[in-house]
């Protein structure tokens, strides 16, 4: 325990030193993972994960962190455009309702956002509300261009949605 405490103090000291000028951030929960992935682009934050290679304690936090990291710079430009989501699959989830899976190809989408779903058989688009968002099976507060994710939709019948539609 003493060695761990000393190691953590040394690590924090090095990260805060004039040569590094980083903000150490202890990652202890999934909420911390989400905070880190949102702020990692600033290049000031340095997430610290305490893991055990013996028991596997907190390895799921590292996996989630790596899976939630932004993919590439080309998506930065697309994330500034109006939101567009291409539907690849639809699901009916008990207790949740209609869920669509696909890729955000432009913009960013947050829960409670109203988007237009279509085209339907008549070529029309209808407004739908995003109830919640999951990215790599983790609930998130925003999905951005380049991410493959799933949205739970409010008050939409699964039969009204098909593969190939967009929102």
């Amino acid at each position: 325990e003493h060695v761990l405490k000393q190691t953590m103090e040394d690590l924090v000291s090095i990260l805060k030193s004039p040569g590094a000028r980083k903000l150490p951030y202890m990652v202890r929960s999934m909420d911390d993972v989400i905070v880190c992935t949102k702020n990692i682009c600033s290049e000031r934050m340095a997430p610290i994960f305490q893991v055990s290679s013996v028991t596997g304690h907190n390895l799921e936090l590292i996996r989630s962190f790596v899976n939630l990291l932004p993919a590439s710079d080309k998506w930065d430009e697309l994330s500034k455009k109006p939101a567009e989501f291409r539907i690849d699959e639809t699901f009916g989830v008990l207790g949740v309702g209609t869920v669509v899976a696909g890729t955000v190809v432009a913009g960013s989408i947050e829960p409670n956002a109203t988007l237009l779903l279509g085209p339907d058989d008549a070529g029309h688009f209808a407004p739908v509300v995003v109830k919640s968002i999951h990215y790599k099976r983790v609930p998130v507060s925003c999905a951005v261009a380049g991410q493959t994710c799933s949205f739970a939709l409010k008050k939409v019948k699964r039969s009204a949605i098909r593969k190939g539609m967009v929102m």
Side-chain angles (χ1 to χ4, degrees):
E1 195 65 36
H2 172 67
V3 174
L4 174 62
K5 183 179 177 189
Q6 186 61 47
T7 302
M8 293 305 295
E9 288 173 3
D10 291 346
L11 179 59
V12 169
S13 175
I14 291 168
L15 289 170
K16 288 183 174 181
S17 71
R21 294 185 13 219
K22 300 285 185 184
L23 297 171
Y25 189 85
M26 289 301 300
V27 179
R28 295 184 177 100
S29 70
M30 194 56 66
D31 289 337
D32 292 340
V33 168
I34 293 170
V35 168
C36 282
T37 55
K38 285 187 174 185
N39 295 304
I40 201 72
C41 293
S42 72
E43 298 182 1
R44 290 254 312 138
M45 183 177 281
I48 300 171
F49 297 84
Q50 283 188 347
V51 299
S52 170
S53 59
V54 176
T55 65
H57 179 70
N58 281 345
L59 282 176
E60 73 281 355
L61 296 178
I62 290 179
R63 279 190 205 99
S64 296
F65 176 76
V66 171
N67 285 332
L68 290 172
L69 285 173
S72 147
D73 290 342
K74 74 175 183 174
W75 295 109
D76 287 343
E77 275 305 307
L78 288 171
S79 66
K80 295 172 187 163
K81 294 186 175 191
E84 182 181 342
F85 178 76
R86 293 187 185 152
I87 298 172
D88 294 327
E89 290 185 74
T90 64
F91 307 95
V93 178
L94 192 63
V96 176
T98 302
V99 175
V100 293
T103 304
V104 180
V105 293
S108 63
I109 302 168
E110 296 178 352
N112 297 316
T114 301
L115 303 172
L116 294 174
L117 171 69
D120 60 14
D121 293 335
H124 299 109
F125 287 77
V128 295
V129 177
V130 175
K131 192 180 340 181
S132 65
I133 303 171
H134 278 67
Y135 174 66
K136 299 203 177 194
R137 299 181 185 228
V138 177
V140 294
S141 59
C142 182
V144 296
Q147 292 181 331
T148 301
C149 54
S150 59
F151 298 150
L153 302 178
K154 287 184 182 177
K155 300 179 182 176
V156 177
K157 292 184 179 179
R158 183 177 174 205
S159 60
I161 303 172
R162 66 182 184 284
K163 179 180 177 178
M165 292 178 91
V166 296
M167 295 194 314

